[in-house]
Each structure stands twice: as structure tokens, then as C-alpha cells.
């Protein structure tokens, strides 16, 4: 990087970066393998229009939760159904509305309490779900949802969701913001 004023990476830093990048790609391949139908669906892409925390979209948030969930299960050597883990993580916030903007029907004041039920209803409508996937979606907001998660996969997604939400809220994970094209054109 001569002439740019930026420091050069050492060989060790470059090796660690390549390893991290390969791990990221491996996790993304796992997500695609287990949830291609979800990733390609129209409603899943609609989540790019809604902000979750800070300036992170719901779509980016659930992708992060899926990646962290896989990483947690691998790093901690927790045996689990990886397919259910990924699919539940991707659909845990499948509520399909902007909870920051109240509407005539719903003021969204208690969003944290009721959105798991809305996400589950939407997911059941659009996809075939296993009981594990339903448990993940329904109980990911524990302890706000009184009944705790009933399987390892739901505990992992709950933990990953809390971690990602914290990072997004304090702006350590920066998103690209919602697609504002529709708003600008209206």
C-alpha cells in the first residue's frame, strides 16, 4: 500500500484475516445450504426495508443472528440441529412491519412482547416449519416471553439475538440502513 499512507499488514495479520474470511464464507455457505428457500423469498427481502436496531435492517440483523448462532454452536461444541438453528434464526424476527412507526391498527408499544407470535404466524404461513424452528421463533425473546426456550437451538438463537441486538444498539455493528427509495418517491 505504498503511497496511500496506510500501514501494511504483517504476514500474520494477513493470514488471520484470510482465515476469518474463509470462516465467514463457510458459515454463509451453511446458511445458504439450509435455508435457500427463505433467502430467496420475496418477504424475506422485504425485511431490508425495516430498521431493527440503530441503522441495521431486520434482514441484516437476522443474518447476523444466524451467523452468530452457528459460530456459538461450533465454538462451544454444542450439538444441535444446525438446519433448524439457521432457519429459526432467519425467521425469528419475521414480523414484516416497521415497529418504530405506529399505525392505525397497532401502536407497536409492546413490540418486544408480541412480535415473536406475529413472526411465528407469518413464518407458518410462508414456510413449512419443524417444531424446533417454531420453538426458536416463539421463544427467542425470553425472558420477555414467560416460557423459556425448550431446546438447545432456541437457547443459542436467544443468546445470539441478545448479543447482536446489543452490538447494533450501541452501534458496534453498523448496518446500511433501510431501503429509503420508496420513502423518497412518496
Amino acid at each position: 500500500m505504498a503511497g496511500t499512507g496506510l500501514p501494511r499488514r504483517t504476514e500474520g495479520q494477513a493470514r488471520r484475516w484470510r482465515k476469518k474470511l474463509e470462516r465467514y464464507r463457510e458459515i454463509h455457505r451453511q446458511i445458504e445450504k439450509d435455508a435457500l428457500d427463505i433467502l430467496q423469498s420475496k418477504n424475506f427481502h422485504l425485511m431490508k426495508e425495516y430498521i431493527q436496531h440503530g441503522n441495521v435492517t431486520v434482514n441484516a440483523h437476522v443474518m447476523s443472528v444466524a451467523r452468530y448462532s452457528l459460530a456459538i454452536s461450533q465454538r462451544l461444541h454444542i450439538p444441535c440441529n444446525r438446519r433448524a438453528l439457521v432457519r429459526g434464526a432467519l425467521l425469528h424476527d419475521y414480523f414484516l412491519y416497521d415497529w418504530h412507526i405506529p399505525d392505525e391498527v397497532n401502536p407497536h408499544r409492546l413490540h418486544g412482547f408480541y412480535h415473536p407470535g406475529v413472526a411465528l404466524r407469518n413464518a407458518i404461513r410462508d414456510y413449512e416449519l419443524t417444531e424446533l424452528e417454531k420453538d426458536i421463533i416463539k421463544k427467542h425473546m425470553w425472558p420477555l416471553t414467560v416460557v423459556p426456550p425448550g431446546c438447545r437451538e432456541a437457547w443459542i438463537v436467544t443468546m445470539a439475538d441478545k448479543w447482536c441486538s446489543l452490538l447494533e444498539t450501541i452501534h458496534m455493528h453498523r448496518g446500511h440502513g433501510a431501503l429509503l427509495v420508496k420513502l423518497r418517491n412518496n
Side-chain angles (χ1 to χ4, degrees):
M1 295 192 202
T4 64
L6 297 174
R8 292 186 53 110
R9 285 194 177 111
T10 66
E11 185 57 38
Q13 288 171 324
R15 192 173 38 256
R16 283 189 298 278
W17 180 251
R18 283 191 298 273
K19 187 176 178 182
K20 187 176 183 177
L21 179 60
E22 183 51 41
R23 184 167 157 70
Y24 177 87
R25 287 178 176 162
E26 178 187 323
I27 285 175
H28 193 72
R29 283 190 294 271
Q30 178 79 40
I31 292 169
E32 283 183 334
K33 179 178 152 253
D34 291 332
L36 194 59
D37 61 324
I38 294 170
L39 296 174
Q40 292 178 341
S41 74
K42 181 181 176 184
N43 279 344
F44 187 76
H45 286 280
L46 277 178
M47 295 192 309
K48 292 177 182 176
E49 296 179 17
Y50 308 125
I51 294 292
Q52 180 67 339
H53 307 109
N55 68 341
V56 177
T57 64
V58 177
N59 186 285
H61 168 74
V62 299
M63 289 297 293
S64 291
V65 171
R67 284 191 297 272
Y68 273 94
S69 294
L70 282 171
I72 288 168
S73 72
Q74 290 169 358
R75 289 272 174 115
L76 299 179
H77 306 287
I78 300 171
C80 64
N81 181 327
R82 297 242 166 112
R83 178 177 166 81
L85 182 75
V86 166
R87 295 173 69 80
L90 291 175
L91 296 172
H92 80 276
D93 280 341
Y94 194 65
F95 43 82
L96 305 175
Y97 58 80
D98 188 340
W99 64 273
H100 300 91
I101 302 171
D103 56 38
E104 306 85 41
V105 178
N106 196 338
H108 307 304
R109 282 188 209 117
L110 300 174
H111 170 77
F113 291 94
Y114 68 78
H115 83 269
V118 175
L120 181 59
R121 282 192 299 279
N122 289 342
I124 287 171
R125 179 194 67 214
D126 293 349
Y127 308 101
E128 287 189 38
L129 302 177
T130 66
E131 290 306 312
L132 284 176
E133 294 162 358
K134 290 175 187 176
D135 192 64
I136 293 166
I137 297 166
K138 186 176 177 181
K139 298 175 183 170
H140 79 275
M141 282 303 290
W142 185 83
L144 290 183
T145 53
V146 179
V147 180
C151 60
R152 287 183 194 130
E153 294 80 1
W155 280 107
I156 293 168
V157 170
T158 298
M159 184 170 35
D161 182 44
K162 304 295 183 259
W163 180 248
C164 290
S165 297
L166 173 68
L167 295 178
E168 293 162 7
T169 301
I170 63 174
H171 302 286
M172 288 185 71
H173 269 194
R174 300 205 193 279
H176 299 293
L179 300 175
L180 300 175
V181 176
K182 285 184 179 181
L183 296 175
R184 288 184 192 137
N185 291 337
N186 290 337

